[in-house]
Amino acid sequence: MTEANTPKLGQIVKIRKGRESGKYAVIIGIEDGRFVAIADGDKRKFDQPKKKNLLHLELQDWISSEVVDSLRESDRVTNGKLRFAVAKFIEQMDSNA
């Protein structure tokens, strides 16, 4: 895998396959080379993340520092922070468009 394709904690992803396709979420765990755990803080809470194959996700060039800091400090992140990270990313995308 190249550096650009490597998932990182706190990275925003766009879901390409499955029931939630087209939605955005945050990587909150990296299982192995193929799978990550994602949550959006809304439908998919931190306590019940979705395990997704990286082939079904589109990695975005945006990492939420709030989520990364929280995961480093306490191995947890609030659902509010996840919702905030996704909303901030979407807002930034809209302002750039």
Side-chain angles (χ1 to χ4, degrees):
M1 269 198 177
T2 63
E3 185 64 30
N5 302 13
T6 307
K8 296 173 183 60
L9 287 179
Q11 188 169 17
I12 302 287
V13 295
K14 183 175 185 179
I15 301 167
R16 294 194 306 192
K17 301 266 188 201
R19 185 178 294 168
E20 298 169 339
S21 64
K23 297 216 167 40
Y24 292 94
V26 183
I27 295 176
I28 59 168
I30 299 172
E31 307 276 324
D32 56 34
R34 272 185 55 195
F35 293 96
V36 294
I38 61 170
D40 63 6
D42 185 23
K43 294 251 185 280
R44 190 55 72 177
K45 307 286 191 206
F46 175 81
D47 292 328
Q48 297 191 325
K50 177 74 178 161
K51 182 179 176 182
K52 285 292 261 187
N53 188 325
L54 281 172
L55 298 175
H56 299 172
L57 300 173
E58 186 180 311
L59 299 175
Q60 305 296 312
D61 294 332
W62 203 77
I63 295 176
S64 170
S65 57
E66 292 95 351
V67 172
V68 174
D69 293 343
S70 185
L71 284 169
R72 278 200 190 122
E73 288 169 18
S74 62
D75 284 340
R76 293 190 59 78
V77 64
T78 63
N79 291 314
K81 274 189 186 163
L82 292 172
R83 285 191 302 270
F84 176 75
V86 171
K88 193 170 164 186
F89 172 74
I90 291 171
E91 181 183 301
Q92 184 182 12
M93 268 187 29
D94 289 346
S95 67
N96 288 347

